[in-house]
Amino acid sequence: ISDMCSAPKSLSCGETVYASISTATAADPDSLADGIPDHWYVVSGTDTRASASTCNAFTNFNTLLEVHTGDCSYSNRLMFNDNDPSCSIFSQASTASWDAVLGTQYRIRARPVSNTTITGNYALTLSCGAPIPNALPAPKLSEGISDMCSAPKSLSCGETVYASISTATAADPDSLADGIPDHWYVVSGTDTRASASTCNAFTNFNTLLEVHTGDCSYSNRLMFNDNDPSCSIFSQASTASWDAVLGTQYRIRARPVSNTTITGNYALTLSCGAPIPNALPAPKLSEGISDMCSA
């Protein structure tokens, strides 16, 4: 049993481990900086619905389970569970379930709910259930991702790009002066209701999407979205929808919510839906407009 995220214990489908949380410390150099003692496990995806659970008579303290992808940070936390209401053995046991994709490694963090000194025991079981429908391996990162508003990556209807926010910086000369790293995309209006969304199993940090017209400034921000409540895959994904008028270009800014260092991934999909009723191109400004009462 290991309390180091960099050296987790391997866990296989159907396996149960028995551990005492008293062997964990909160001072590990690669553990999350929340002061909570923990144990780390690593699981290899098998294209099945995986479940990690402490629902066992051996468990005798209030557990919390986290599932992480990537490095050992909250930005890469895929999901977590505190109390599992379906566990009739112990009301403070936890069960975390997720689609474990083939070729992807997942880290499971077993911990108490708070940083109170805990000396209890727990059992952790990994179950691999039904196959994931149409399971695919983790996608490769897309090429040409840009963190420059002046050189955005073009995005077409129906296209999905895969990116790591770690390739973005907050010091780009034409980026908004808010200190937040970002990626920029450009979309051409098609007289349809357009939607840009990070609602995808590949997304693993709290995203925010902005839609801009004109130059790269907040004054030209048409709209934004932080969390999309309709996304059942990931509660911190975003979806921005707007009427994309033919002849108008829109810039999409994909970014984390804050300027905290983020190392996670996201997928961005552009959908072009129903036609805009009676859509007309954006009118040009008329000539000969005068601010002189005499003319």
Side-chain angles (χ1 to χ4, degrees), residues 110-239:
R111 44 161 279 202
V113 170
S114 68
N115 61 357
T116 305
T117 301
I118 298 293
T119 56
N121 301 321
Y122 69 92
L124 178 65
T125 299
L126 177 68
S127 303
C128 301
I132 305 170
N134 302 317
L136 294 172
K140 294 181 179 180
L141 296 183
S142 303
E143 297 180 357
I145 305 297
S146 172
D147 61 355
M148 298 288 287
C149 180
S150 59
K153 177 177 174 60
S154 180
L155 201 58
S156 302
C157 295
E159 185 178 359
T160 299
V161 294
Y162 300 91
S164 171
I165 199 65
S166 63
T167 64
T169 68
D172 299 320
D174 68 347
S175 190
L176 302 185
D178 54 14
I180 300 175
D182 52 30
H183 288 150
W184 289 90
Y185 303 86
V186 64
V187 173
S188 295
T190 56
D191 275 349
T192 58
R193 184 70 178 169
S195 291
S197 181
T198 60
C199 183
N200 189 295
F202 189 71
T203 303
N204 59 13
F205 70 93
N206 192 355
T207 60
L208 189 146
L209 294 176
E210 302 175 5
V211 180
H212 293 247
T213 58
D215 63 15
C216 314
S217 66
Y218 276 122
S219 62
N220 285 318
R221 188 170 71 175
L222 183 65
M223 57 92 64
F224 71 94
N225 178 262
D226 178 7
N227 296 334
D228 175 5
S230 70
C231 180
S232 60
I233 300 173
F234 182 53
S235 63
Q236 294 182 319
S238 315
T239 300

Side-chain angles (χ1 to χ4, degrees), residues 63-85:
T63 60
L64 189 146
L65 294 177
E66 302 175 6
V67 180
H68 294 247
T69 59
D71 63 13
C72 313
S73 67
Y74 275 122
S75 63
N76 285 317
R77 188 169 71 175
L78 183 65
M79 58 93 64
F80 71 94
N81 178 261
D82 178 7
N83 296 333
D84 176 6

